Amino acid sequence: MEKQELFRRAKEAIVEADEEQAFSLILEAQMRQVDLLELLMSGFGAGNQELGQRFDSGRLSIPELVYAAEVMKNVTDNILKLLNSPEKEDSFFKKKGTVLLATVAGDVHDIGKGIVASTLRTAGFEVIDLGCEVPAEVILEEAVKNQVDIIGTSALLTSTMAEQKKLEKLLLEAGQKAAFMTMVGGAPCTPRWAKRIGADGYSEDAVEAVWVADKLMKEKEKRMKR
């Protein structure tokens, strides 16, 4: 029960954008020997999801979202650095590969993707962030040029989701589908959408993106051995 209370307070710290309280909870979790990754996902991550819901329903302004997102980013960076500290030889996060990120053409939303980029970097991935409003053709061109392992695209508007589908089509037409693993994200995206367009993975938030990227790298290794 104590652990669940810790998670509740962690969620509240993110919703309230209270960075001092959030960092205090990380220290408390360490003293209680609570799994920090679980704290990140079930506590702080739950707060991050609540922020998204409040923003979507108009209960949170953009400045408030930006400020809270920065707190979440700092909390995530801190926890992942602790998990990936040099003295932990059995650390879950290890150098895995290169991820190319971009918000698709027609979409200027960049906050969520920026947090994902930071989280992946802290977790040990090399990240190439192309920014926002990036055409599918440019995404493919940069992926080939940089020989990345994973392509991650974000679409925050229903009207721009088609660009994610367009990228999958371009990969097939160029004979490059087997060369890259793809993952999608953004408010209107779902696991069903990812499956429908042929993407290899979907992540709901920055924390889950690390798990998905790690999973996709393992799948790619299996694919290359066939």
Side-chain angles (χ1 to χ4, degrees), residues 74-204:
N74 293 339
V75 167
T76 301
D77 285 354
N78 182 266
I79 288 180
L80 292 179
K81 283 176 182 176
L82 290 171
L83 289 170
N84 201 37
S85 57
E87 61 269 21
K88 289 191 175 183
E89 295 181 3
D90 61 340
S91 175
F92 178 82
F93 298 105
K94 299 182 187 301
K95 192 74 174 180
K96 293 292 184 180
T98 304
V99 183
L100 180 77
L101 294 178
T103 300
V104 297
D107 204 319
V108 298
H109 296 82
D110 214 29
I111 298 172
K113 178 183 59 58
I115 297 175
V116 170
S118 175
T119 305
L120 287 171
R121 287 192 183 103
T122 307
F125 286 90
E126 180 182 349
V127 177
I128 299 171
D129 190 346
L130 299 182
C132 56
E133 292 196 281
V134 186
E137 292 83 358
V138 174
I139 294 173
L140 175 57
E141 180 183 333
E142 291 296 318
V144 172
K145 183 172 75 174
N146 292 283
Q147 296 184 311
V148 304
D149 299 295
I150 301 171
I151 301 173
T153 56
S154 173
L156 271 291
L157 302 173
T158 304
S159 59
T160 61
M161 292 171 68
E163 284 293 309
Q164 293 176 322
K165 183 177 181 179
K166 181 180 179 181
L167 176 62
E168 296 295 334
K169 183 180 179 183
L170 287 175
L171 286 167
L172 286 171
E173 292 176 348
Q176 295 284 355
K177 179 59 181 173
F180 308 106
M181 304 301 289
T182 57
M183 57 190 292
V184 297
C189 300
T190 62
R192 183 178 179 183
W193 170 248
K195 185 176 181 180
R196 178 181 166 189
I197 66 174
D200 300 298
Y202 157 83
S203 66
E204 185 174 5

Side-chain angles (χ1 to χ4, degrees), residues 47-68:
N48 198 45
Q49 290 178 1
E50 175 69 19
L51 287 174
Q53 292 169 3
R54 291 190 181 192
F55 181 73
D56 290 340
S57 63
R59 291 180 291 154
L60 196 72
S61 68
I62 290 180
E64 289 174 317
L65 179 64
V66 171
Y67 186 75

